Amino acid sequence: MTTTPLVITSDDILLKLCNSVSHVLSSTTASQVTHAAMVQSITRTCLKPDLSCFSIFDGGFSGLVVINFSAPAAIEIYRSYMKQMGMPESELAFSHTSDEVGDVLSELMNQILGDFISKVNKQLQTSINQSQPKMLTINKELTISIDTNLDEAVARRVSFRTQNNHIFYLEFAMDKTEFIKLKDFDAEEEFNPDDLLAEHGQNHKGNKFKAKTSPLAQVMDKTSADEADDLLNELGL
């Protein structure tokens, strides 16, 4: 019986990117960031007010990622992230035009793309690279495209919602492409250094506890104590 090969399309790749955006922003801000179930087909990607961040990627396929933040969404994400980092609220910026806000959102986009690229490399067995994300504070819409022509470009827009119901948008353009699974393979497991360190710490504590309560250790301790008492008795002490 013949089986139909699994096909991964451009929209499946977009879904992986949306999941990376939600996952990274939710985990770094300790809040809920979700994306819409519907995606909009667009003809061009744009940088829009109030803050816009973009990055180009290439390799197995080429594309452009743009995230357009409204001022309220940018401030909410920035302040939630900084509080999670232990910064007191009195030291946080209040305006989306602050350089600090732009720097934080650029760093978060860098983490988003890193998570996305890691998934693509492992799950699609291809390799892509990203440019350093650029953040702009603008008050007018700007159209942006990458230097090289995309192969039958596919452009999409997805809306996201923060925990306080502030909206921002992801715009995505890439080659129209398909990945076809020819045979089964085991995708590499996700590696989380924090989990490994936590597990190692627990094992270390457990081993120390076992060493203290081991029956053999108790016998050895009792024997050593008895020998010390005998020696003191012989010395008349």
Side-chain angles (χ1 to χ4, degrees), residues 49-52 69-75 78 93-103 105 135-139:
D50 296 300
L51 265 77
S52 191
F69 295 97
S70 64
I75 287 296
Y78 155 76
F94 285 91
S95 171
H96 71 279
T97 58
S98 167
D99 290 341
E100 189 178 348
V101 176
D103 291 343
L105 293 179
M135 178 67 69
L136 298 173
T137 304
I138 56 177
N139 52 20

Side-chain angles (χ1 to χ4, degrees), residues 69-189:
F69 295 97
S70 64
I75 287 296
E76 180 187 344
I77 292 170
Y78 155 76
R79 292 176 69 83
S80 298
Y81 173 78
M82 295 302 284
K83 287 177 185 176
Q84 277 297 106
M85 296 294 288
M87 290 292 291
E89 190 168 356
S90 58
E91 296 182 15
L92 301 181
F94 285 91
S95 171
H96 71 279
T97 58
S98 167
D99 290 341
E100 189 178 348
V101 176
D103 291 343
V104 165
L105 293 179
S106 292
E107 170 56 27
L108 288 174
M109 185 162 183
N110 207 33
Q111 292 183 38
I112 288 167
L113 292 177
D115 185 80
F116 169 66
I117 288 171
S118 174
K119 286 182 170 63
V120 165
N121 290 350
K122 292 174 183 176
Q123 297 172 12
L124 301 184
Q125 295 195 328
T126 190
S127 177
I128 57 175
N129 304 296
Q130 69 173 83
S131 67
Q132 185 64 29
K134 305 294 183 187
M135 178 67 69
L136 298 173
T137 304
I138 56 177
N139 52 20
K140 291 183 180 179
E141 182 176 304
L142 301 174
T143 301
I144 184 171
S145 61
I146 58 178
D147 292 338
T148 55
N149 292 326
L150 295 177
D151 185 14
E152 296 185 65
V154 172
R156 301 284 188 262
R157 179 185 295 126
V158 183
S159 65
F160 285 77
R161 187 182 299 272
T162 68
Q163 186 160 299
N164 292 336
N165 291 321
H166 295 130
I167 304 295
F168 64 95
Y169 295 92
L170 166 73
E171 295 193 4
F172 179 67
M174 67 167 288
D175 296 325
K176 183 178 181 181
T177 187
E178 290 182 346
F179 286 84
I180 303 168
K181 186 177 182 181
L182 299 179
K183 62 178 183 178
D184 290 336
F185 63 90
D186 294 326
E188 295 179 34
E189 292 183 6

